[in-house]
Amino acid sequence: MKNIDVLIFTAHPDDAEIGIGGTIAKLTSGGFSVGIIDLTEGELGTRGNAITRAAEAKAAAEILNITLRENLSFPDGNVRPSQEYVAKVVSKIRQYKPQIIIAPYFNDRHPDHIGAGKIVKEAMFFSGLPKFETFENGKLQEAYRPRKLFYFMMTYLFDPTFIIDVTDTIETKMKAIRAFKSQFHDPESDEPETFISHPEFLKNIEARARHFGFQIGKTYGEPFFCEEKIEFDFGWILNKPV
Ligand SMILES: [Zn+2]
């Protein structure tokens, strides 16, 4: 497979759709290749199970038109930085050579989201070191470091470094989220109610997108955080090279 432009690492199937489904749809409709690698199968989730969630993840991937979706099958509820987990993420970065990688913001309500953000940050660094050895099909992989690591918002807020206008793709995002039928509100389900299956949850997702859209003068937006400073070019606003 050829290189992926943007590679997203998440803790659970549905994290990427909830956090940045609109950005993903915008990128793929613009011709960029996007991959999602879920670190766990979400088997600890109160509703559904690993099998239903895998089928739902596949359906959501088709709606978002992404190029690849893989699962590293780390144990759900135990996503914490370790040499083994960091090496597995490094191996995926070296395999797909993305320009940009994206992970959950490293302070959140769910410890696995925190862990995923930390693992990916470590992997971003070690992936660029030739002496940090990883193998693909028994063959030593080349060192490679993506250009940028961005974080997306799950439950806890952060002050965004930048916001992506997702006005044109919000409907695709909501459709991709609803593909995870077992996780969200379903009047016919008799599974226990959870934080995200409450009927208000999907409205909150939309309200958050409206809030961040408003911040940039658009209808809907998705916030991102970057620990590094981002270079700015006046030409982006003046619409000619400066
Ligand atoms: Zn999650």
Side-chain angles (χ1 to χ4, degrees):
M1 181 183 283
K2 72 181 192 59
N3 299 350
I4 294 284
D5 294 316
V6 179
L7 189 56
I8 301 154
F9 291 94
T10 75
H12 313 106
D14 75 12
D15 288 349
E17 287 80 359
I18 292 170
I20 47 169
T23 301
I24 296 169
K26 182 171 184 161
L27 285 166
T28 58
S29 65
F32 294 103
S33 56
V34 178
I36 299 175
I37 299 184
D38 303 308
L39 299 187
T40 80
E41 294 168 18
E43 69 274 13
L44 218 57
T46 306
R47 292 161 67 105
N49 56 49
I51 294 162
T52 55
R53 292 187 78 170
E56 291 166 354
K58 191 163 175 282
E62 281 166 17
I63 292 165
L64 294 174
N65 201 20
I66 59 173
T67 305
L68 79 92
R69 183 163 214 153
E70 294 185 13
N71 199 299
L72 291 181
S73 301
F74 295 173
D76 191 8
N78 193 21
V79 179
R80 309 284 180 277
S82 71
Q83 183 87 352
E84 181 198 348
Y85 292 169
V86 170
K88 283 185 174 164
V89 171
V90 166
S91 183
K92 289 296 163 189
I93 292 171
R94 289 173 171 174
Q95 182 179 349
Y96 295 119
K97 298 184 172 55
Q99 304 267 344
I100 295 168
I101 55 174
I102 303 179
Y105 184 58
F106 44 82
N107 188 21
D108 195 60
R109 170 179 179 270
H110 197 313
D112 281 353
H113 299 163
I114 300 170
K118 288 182 175 172
I119 290 169
V120 174
K121 179 177 176 177
E122 290 195 24
M124 166 92 167
F125 181 79
F126 290 116
S127 185
L129 301 185
K131 288 183 182 169
F132 188 97
E133 294 186 347
T134 54
F135 297 85
E136 184 185 346
N137 299 325
K139 199 167 157 263
L140 184 66
Q141 292 181 299
E142 271 178 31
Y144 173 82
R145 188 172 290 146
R147 291 169 66 188
K148 290 287 175 202
L149 164 58
F150 299 139
Y151 297 95
F152 65 93
M153 190 178 284
M154 292 302 295
T155 301
Y156 288 0
L157 299 171
F158 53 69
D159 193 13
T161 308
F162 61 88
I163 294 168
I164 300 289
D165 172 13
V166 296
T167 307
D168 293 341
T169 52
I170 189 77
E171 280 178 29
T172 311
K173 171 190 177 124
M174 298 312 288
K175 198 174 161 200
I177 293 173
R178 284 193 298 266
F180 290 88
K181 290 192 192 78
S182 69
Q183 300 303 300
F184 299 103
H185 183 63
D186 173 2
E188 291 176 8
S189 169
D190 51 11
E191 293 207 76
E193 189 95 87
T194 66
F195 180 66
I196 64 169
S197 78
H198 192 277
E200 294 297 309
F201 184 78
L202 292 177
K203 287 187 197 162
N204 289 338
I205 298 275
E206 201 203 330
R208 175 177 278 178
R210 272 198 178 269
H211 168 78
F212 285 107
F214 177 69
Q215 303 296 312
I216 53 168
K218 301 290 165 61
T219 309
Y220 293 103
E222 286 174 343
F224 287 81
F225 184 81
C226 183
E227 289 183 284
E228 294 177 350
K229 300 301 174 205
I230 307 284
E231 182 186 350
F232 181 73
D233 183 332
F234 272 40
W236 294 348
I237 290 185
L238 301 174
N239 207 21
K240 65 175 184 182
V242 175

